[in-house]
Amino acid sequence: MDPIHRGPEEFGHDSKGFAEEAGRRRPSRDPLTPDFGQQTPQQARVVTLVAGDLMLTVNPIDGSEVEPCPPGEQPPAPVRRTPADRADRARAAAPPVPPGPPVPELPLLRRDDERERLTRLLAGGRSVRLSGPAGSGRTALLDAVAADCAEFAPDGVVRLNGHKRTATDLLHALFDAVHDAPLHRPDRALLLDTLRTTGAVVVLDDLEFGGAALDELLDATPECAYLLAATPDVAAPGADSPLEEVFLTGLDRATSLDLLARVVERPLTEEEANWAGDLWFESEGLPLRFVQAGALLRQRDQLRTDATAYDEYGYLENRPADAPPVPEGAENAEVPLPSLGEGAAPAALLASRLSGAARDTLRFAVALGGEVPHQAHLPALVGETHADAALGELAGCGLLSPAGPRYRLAAGVLAQLVAAGYDDDTVDRARTAAQHYAWWTGHPSVTPARAAAEADAIIAAMSRLVPGEGPGRTSAAVLLARSAAPAFAAGLHWGAWERALRIGQEAGRLAGEVAEEAYFHHELGVLALCTGHPDRARTELETAISMRGALADKSGAVAGRRALALVEDRAGGGPVPGDGGTAAAFTASPPLGMPAVAPVSTQRAFDDDTAVVASVPLPPSAVGKGARRGGPMALIGGARRNLVAAGAGVLLAGVLGTVVTLGLTSNSDPQGGAGTSTEQEVPDDDGVYDDEVTAGDPTTASPSGSGSGSASPGPSVSGSASPGVSSSATPSSSSDGPSSPDTPSSPGATESSVTPSKPTPTKTKPKPTSTKSTPSETGSGSPSPTESEDTPPPTDSETPDPPTEPDTSDSAVEGSPSGEGA
C-alpha cells in the first residue's frame, strides 16, 4: 500500500474493534444524554439506614418500612473526620466552576477593619452576627474570614448555608460535616451529646431565622464559634444571646469606582466615572451593583468593537452566535452609556445581550423561584448541547450568587426579570423541569447525595405546579414528589424529604390520585415516627391505612399496619386498629365486681388481619336483679354470665372446639332414689325468675343450667354453648322406658335437641344432695359442675303423675343444685 495515500482501514473504518475502542475512549460531553439502545429495566432503589434506634428501609414501591434496629446492627460510634477528609468534603460542597471564560477574581476592597474585627472575635471563641443588606458583599467577607480562621479550632472551619434550612437541619449538617457516620441519622439525644463536644468555627451564610431557634442552635454547640450572615429583615437573636453584632455597610465612592475599574479591566473614562458616581448615590455603594455595572460596560465595549478586526485569528470574535447582531459601522458609532435606571436594575439589559441558552436558563430560574439548575441539567432543559456554558455567562455578568453547592439568582435579579416579562411561560417551564427531574432522580445511576444537592430546585419545580392551573400539572408534581422523596430520605436530607411529601400529598389530593396520596400519608407517618412524634405518626398512618384499605391495596395496608403497630408499641398503647387482636374482648371488667376470668386461649384462629372477636355485655337489668339477691351464689351467677359472654366471643373466633353442658335434667334436682320421680318447677309471676332468659340467646342464657326454663320452649343451637353451660332451653323429663346414654343424666353429656315434656312433680320431694362446682376443679377458669356419684339413675317403674299445680315455694328454689333460681 502506498504509504502516502492511506486507506480507510488505517483510521478504523474497516476495523470494527478499533472503531468501538475509539468510541469508548471518547466519552459524550453530555452525561445526561440517554442511551436509546436496548435498555435494561430499572430496579427500585432500596436503601436501609439507621435513625436513632430504628432501622428504616426506604422502599419507593409500597412505602418505607421501619422496625427496631436488631441487635448487632447498630452502627458504630461516629468518627471524627481528619483534616484531609474535611478539606475534600469542603471542595465537593463548593459550587461548581462555571464553564467558559474564567470570571475575574475580585479582591476584597476596604473591608480590612471588619475582617480584622471578625477574626479577633472568633479567635477568642465569641460568636458574631454579621448583618448587611443583600448585595453588600457578605459572602466575599465570609470567605476571607474563613481562610483566616482555618487553624483556630480542633475541628477546623465548617461552611454551611442557611437558605431554606431550619435549626434542626443545620445541626444535622454540622454533625455530618465533622463526623463520619454513613447511613446513620442520630436521634436527638445522640446528636446533642456529640455536638456538645464539637469544636469548630462555623461560618453560616444566608441565615433565615432568629429568636428561640437561633438560641437553640447556639445552646446545642457550646464549643463552637459562629459567624452568621443575615439580612436586616431576619429576626434578631434573643435578649440573652451571647452574639456580637457587626453591621456591614456599602462602599464609599472611591472604592466603588475602583471596583468598577477592576471589573472592566481598564481605566474609566471621565464620562464613565461621572456615571458611576451617580450610580453610587443611587445604590448606596452596594458592591453587587458595581459588578453588574462593570458587565454593562464590557458589553458596551463589545458593541463598539469592529467585528472584522483581527479576523485572521478571531481574537475578538467571542460573541455568541445567537446574540443580537452588531449594526454596520458600529465600531465608528458612539454607543451611549446605560441610563441611571438601567444601571440600578441592570438584569433585563444584561440578559438581552446574552446568548439564547443563557436567556432560556434565566427563564427556568424565574420559573423555579430563583433557583438555577445545575449546569449538567441545562443541555436537557434548554435543548442545546453546549447550554452548560450559559452558566459562565450569567456568573460573569453578576446575575448569580453561590448558595452552598449550587447557584441562584443574585439579590434583586428575580424581581427585575419578572418585570421584564421573563415569567410568561413559568408554569410550562416548571412542568418541563419537573418531568426532567422526575426522570433524573429516579435513575439508578443518580446517588441520593446528588439528588439532595439539587433539593431546592426540585422542590421549587413541584411547588410551582401546586395548585395546578392546567391538565397534567398536578400529576407532574405528584410524579416528581414520588420519585424525589425516597432519594431525599436516603440522602439524609429530611427537611427536603418532609417538604416533598407535603407538596406531593397536596398535589395527589388535587389530582384525585388516591393511591399516591395514601403513599405520602404513609411516608409522613414514618418520618414522624423516626423523628419522635408518635401522635402525628399515628394520625398519618391511620389515614394511609384507611385509604389503602378502600383501594384494596393489601401490601400497602400491611406496611402501614406494621408501622402503626410500632407506634403503639413505643407509645405503650393498646392493640392496633384493624389488627384483629383478641385481647380486647376480655378487657371489660366482669359484672358484680368479680375478677376477670382468663380466656382459654388468646391465640388468633386465623392469620387474616380481619378476624374480629367481640365481647357481648350483660344486660343491665340482669346485673341489677342479681345484685339485689346478694349472697355468694349471686356472685357465682355473675361470674357464670361473664363466662357465657366470653364463650360467645370465643365461639365467633373459632377458638373453642369443645362444648360441655351441665348434666342436669328436669328441675336439676338429683334423684333421691328408686321410685321417686322428677319434679319440674314452674316459675310464678312474683319476679323470682325475672332474670331467666329465652332459649337460643347466648348472651343472656343462664350459665348454671339449673333447671330454669324459658317462658316458651324453643330449640337450642347445637354446639353453641361454652363449658359449663347447658345448651338446652327446656330440660326434658324422664321417659317411660329405660334411660338412654344420650340423656343428660350422666355428667358431661350434651343435649343438642329440645325434648318437650310435661312437668311431673311428685308429692314427695327428694332431699337435695350437695353438689359443688368451683373453677378450681375444672381448670383454666371455666367451671364445669358435676353431679354426686351416689345419685341413682331413674328407674323404669316410674310413671308420670297427672299435672298438678307447681310448687312455687322458696323451698323449691333452694332445692336446686346451683342454689338459686336463675
Side-chain angles (χ1 to χ4, degrees):
M1 179 181 295
D2 189 352
I4 297 178
H5 303 283
R6 299 179 179 178
E9 66 275 4
E10 297 186 36
F11 295 94
H13 295 288
D14 290 346
S15 176
K16 181 178 179 181
F18 184 86
E20 292 178 353
E21 183 67 22
R24 284 194 295 267
R25 290 197 306 265
R26 186 174 61 255
S28 174
R29 179 176 181 180
D30 183 10
L32 297 179
T33 302
D35 184 11
F36 293 99
Q38 184 67 26
Q39 295 285 334
T40 58
Q42 299 180 5
Q43 302 295 329
R45 180 173 51 194
V46 179
V47 179
T48 301
L49 52 90
V50 177
D53 59 344
L54 299 175
M55 177 174 289
L56 174 64
T57 302
V58 181
N59 184 2
I61 306 300
D62 297 325
S64 300
E65 299 179 2
V66 60
E67 60 180 346
C69 191
E73 297 293 336
Q74 290 286 350
V79 180
R80 292 183 182 271
R81 299 183 185 271
T82 62
D85 295 337
R86 293 197 301 267
D88 294 341
R89 188 182 181 280
R91 283 191 296 268
V97 178
V103 180
E105 295 184 3
L106 302 176
L108 189 63
L109 301 176
R110 303 295 175 91
R111 298 295 191 189
D112 295 337
D113 294 342
E114 291 87 350
R115 180 176 181 176
E116 180 182 357
R117 181 185 178 187
L118 293 175
T119 303
R120 184 175 65 254
L121 290 173
L122 293 174
R126 305 292 297 274
S127 296
V128 189
R129 184 174 184 260
L130 179 65
S131 299
S136 60
R138 293 177 288 112
T139 302
L141 181 57
L142 292 182
D143 294 339
V145 175
D148 297 339
C149 301
E151 304 296 334
F152 285 176
D155 293 320
V157 177
V158 178
R159 297 293 304 268
L160 300 177
N161 189 269
H163 180 59
K164 297 182 180 179
R165 299 294 187 272
T166 63
T168 302
D169 294 337
L170 293 176
L171 287 177
H172 282 279
L174 178 59
F175 171 85
D176 184 62
V178 178
H179 300 85
D180 185 16
L183 298 179
H184 179 205
R185 181 181 173 91
D187 55 4
R188 185 73 177 181
L190 179 59
L191 177 67
L192 297 180
D193 185 65
T194 305
L195 293 180
R196 195 173 292 112
T197 59
T198 300
V201 176
V202 182
V203 179
L204 178 58
D205 198 3
D206 297 328
L207 181 68
E208 295 185 348
F209 59 86
L214 182 57
D215 295 339
E216 175 188 355
L217 178 65
L218 298 177
D219 294 341
T221 54
E223 300 297 328
C224 292
Y226 281 87
L227 176 56
L228 311 173
T231 54
D233 58 341
V234 176
D240 300 334
S241 177
L243 287 175
E244 295 281 345
E245 288 284 347
V246 175
F247 191 79
L248 193 63
T249 59
L251 302 176
D252 55 20
R253 177 168 181 169
T255 307
S256 300
L257 296 180
D258 187 13
L259 176 61
L260 181 60
R262 290 175 182 271
V263 174
V264 182
E265 297 181 321
R266 63 173 177 79
L268 300 177
T269 63
E270 183 178 357
E271 182 184 11
E272 293 172 344
N274 294 333
W275 176 78
D278 296 339
L279 180 61
W280 173 83
F281 182 80
E282 178 68 22
S283 63
E284 299 180 353
L286 295 179
L288 178 63
R289 294 292 177 262
F290 287 92
V291 172
Q292 295 171 346
L296 287 175
L297 294 181
R298 288 202 311 270
Q299 289 180 346
R300 178 172 177 263
D301 292 343
Q302 292 178 358
L303 292 176
R304 297 172 60 188
T305 302
D306 184 6
T308 61
Y310 304 101
D311 186 65
E312 181 179 359
Y313 302 99
Y315 288 144
L316 300 181
E317 193 64 26
N318 55 359
R319 300 178 70 252
D322 55 352
V326 179
E328 184 178 355
E331 66 277 5
N332 298 323
E334 185 66 25
V335 179
L337 286 171
S339 64
L340 186 60
E342 292 173 339
L349 182 58
L350 287 171
S352 65
R353 296 173 178 176
L354 298 177
S355 63
R359 291 193 296 271
D360 285 343
T361 302
L362 289 177
R363 294 184 184 276
F364 275 105
V366 171
L368 300 181
E371 301 294 336
V372 179
H374 192 273
Q375 60 190 19
H377 300 284
L378 294 179
L381 293 175
V382 177
E384 185 177 334
T385 305
H386 300 279
D388 53 348
L391 198 66
E393 295 184 57
L394 299 176
C397 294
L399 298 179
L400 304 181
S401 62
R406 63 197 185 280
Y407 289 97
R408 56 189 177 93
L409 294 180
V413 174
L414 178 61
Q416 298 173 27
L417 293 177
V418 170
Y422 276 74
D423 61 340
D424 294 339
D425 53 353
T426 296
V427 178
D428 292 337
R429 290 187 180 270
R431 180 171 56 184
T432 301
Q435 293 172 348
H436 167 74
Y437 280 126
W439 165 81
W440 180 73
T441 54
H443 200 276
S445 63
V446 179
T447 62
R450 290 182 61 192
E454 290 288 302
D456 289 339
I458 294 173
I459 292 176
M462 67 178 75
S463 299
R464 183 68 67 174
L465 301 176
V466 179
E469 301 176 359
R473 292 174 182 173
T474 52
S475 298
V478 171
L479 179 63
L480 177 56
R482 193 72 160 80
S483 178
F488 295 157
L492 296 180
H493 193 347
W494 284 13
W497 185 24
E498 181 176 3
R499 284 180 290 174
L501 292 176
R502 296 198 178 280
I503 296 173
Q505 182 268 328
E506 178 66 14
R509 184 185 65 83
L510 295 176
E513 301 184 14
V514 182
E516 304 299 337
E517 185 181 359
Y519 167 82
F520 293 123
H521 278 297
H522 174 87
E523 294 294 288
L524 286 171
V526 172
L527 173 62
L529 174 60
C530 294
T531 54
H533 299 86
D535 294 337
R536 188 189 310 168
R538 183 182 297 106
T539 301
E540 297 288 351
L541 290 172
E542 288 176 352
T543 304
I545 292 172
S546 61
M547 297 177 73
R548 284 176 164 176
L551 295 173
D553 183 3
K554 185 175 182 180
S555 59
V558 169
R561 280 195 291 269
R562 288 176 180 172
L564 186 57
L566 183 58
V567 172
E568 299 294 344
D569 180 69
R570 295 173 71 89
V576 179
D579 192 42
T582 58
F586 305 97
T587 55
S589 59
L592 304 180
M594 289 296 293
V597 180
V600 176
S601 175
T602 59
Q603 183 179 3
R604 291 172 52 183
F606 306 103
D607 293 334
D608 189 10
D609 296 327
T610 59
V612 178
V613 176
S615 60
V616 183
L618 194 68
S621 59
V623 176
K625 295 179 181 180
R628 285 196 302 268
R629 284 195 303 270
M633 302 311 296
L635 296 181
I636 296 176
R640 289 175 178 174
R641 295 186 184 95
N642 190 33
L643 287 177
V644 172
V650 174
L651 174 63
L652 295 178
V655 177
L656 196 59
T658 59
V659 178
V660 181
T661 59
L662 295 176
L664 302 178
T665 60
S666 298
N667 61 348
S668 299
D669 289 340
Q671 306 301 322
T676 62
S677 61
T678 59
E679 179 180 4
Q680 174 72 27
E681 296 291 338
V682 179
D684 56 2
D685 296 332
D686 59 358
V688 178
Y689 296 98
D690 288 344
D691 57 345
E692 298 304 324
V693 296
T694 59
D697 189 354
T699 61
T700 56
S702 175
S704 62
S706 55
S708 59
S710 61
S712 60
S716 63
V717 181
S718 176
S720 61
S722 61
V725 179
S726 176
S727 62
S728 175
T730 57
S732 61
S733 62
S734 59
S735 60
D736 295 338
S739 60
S740 63
D742 295 334
T743 57
S745 59
S746 59
T750 303
E751 185 179 2
S752 59
S753 61
V754 177
T755 306
S757 63
K758 297 180 180 181
T760 56
T762 59
K763 298 181 181 181
T764 303
K765 294 183 180 179
K767 184 179 180 180
T769 59
S770 60
T771 304
K772 296 182 180 180
S773 172
T774 60
S776 60
E777 295 175 352
T778 58
S780 303
S782 300
S784 178
T786 58
E787 294 185 0
S788 176
E789 297 180 356
D790 54 355
T791 302
T795 59
D796 300 340
S797 60
E798 293 177 350
T799 57
D801 295 336
T804 60
E805 291 295 330
D807 189 0
T808 58
S809 63
D810 293 341
S811 60
V813 177
E814 295 174 356
S816 62
S818 61
E820 60 175 350

